[in-house]
Amino acid sequence: MPERTVTDPDGGTDARRDEEAALLARVRDRDERALEALYQRYAGALYSLAYQVTGGDRFAQDVVQEVFIVAWRDAQRFDPSRGSVGAWLFGLARHKAIDVLRREATARRRSAPEVDLELEVAPDDVDHDAWQNLRRERVVEALRSLPAAQRESVELAFFAGLTHVEVAERLGIPLGTAKTRIRTGLLRLRDILGDSLSEMPAGSRA
Amino acid sequence: MNHRHVLELAAGAALDDLDPEERDAMAAHLAGCPACRAGARELDEVILALGMVSPRRTPPPELWGSIRAAIRATNAGSPDAGPASAR
Ligand SMILES: [Zn+2]
């Protein structure tokens, strides 16, 4: 029976979660290499998200830097029972990106939601894992299959860096409606993606 | 509280959009409900998946060096850590 190694980044979801929780425990103990390992794994994706939200390289760098400084300083704030390290880092990045947008309010060109999820072939994709591309395609497809009202709200909240209050204002709907659309949209994404969220990396098993 | 409502709260939690009462209610239910805990984990994976969707860009190679310098400065400034050079 083939054994899945824990260090394999393409290992199953549980293995990945456990491994990353262990890395963060080492970060808590002031192990710089553990932080670097998390950086190697997530900096690209965090930077890409931050770039999309803030629209600039310098802002995106600030966001990534602040995320890893918080991870270093406040690693004990991560609660493994509440979620994965990766999702925690993305949550921090989203917050920091929103902060940056606040600070740079004058630089905001936000008359229209610039949410473009076209799978453009970025030059950086050359060294990008194939399974991540596959995963991306499936997620984009899932987003597109949401009812328009839900998709719009989820995209504004996640990719445009708007708070829930701002989503409601932007769409001219009550705050409660915005919250419901976002929550329902996320739940629906879970239903659509279902097993593929954890099954995706299975092909990498030896 | 029914499971569906708890999952809606978990979706709210995934984007950090819960008030304290909602958070407590969710935590109380999750503590005793493995099914909803599993659902909350999947929502977490959805957030992770969304995070991977942005058009891929590569941060400049010097970014890690600047982060490392910043955390070493943090170490030096914190009360329970020695001078940066000692690390
Ligand atoms: Zn339940």
Side-chain angles (χ1 to χ4, degrees), chain B residues 3 6 29 33 36:
Chain B
H3 303 292
V6 172
H29 181 96
C33 182
C36 284

Side-chain angles (χ1 to χ4, degrees), chain A residues 81-83 183, chain B residues 1-3 5-14 17-33 36-37 39-40 43:
Chain A
S81 70
R82 285 212 348 229
R183 292 178 184 186
Chain B
M1 200 185 322
N2 71 48
H3 303 292
H5 183 57
V6 172
L7 284 179
E8 280 172 16
L9 291 181
D17 172 50
L18 291 190
D19 56 45
E21 297 77 42
E22 288 177 317
R23 192 170 288 286
D24 290 348
M26 181 186 75
H29 181 96
L30 288 184
C33 182
C36 284
R37 277 206 301 277
L43 280 164

Side-chain angles (χ1 to χ4, degrees), chain A residues 15 59 75:
Chain A
F59 297 150

Side-chain angles (χ1 to χ4, degrees), chain A residues 18 30 110 116 124 164 178 186:
Chain A
D18 292 348
R30 292 289 167 265
R110 307 175 65 68
D116 179 10
D124 298 343
H164 289 56
L186 289 178

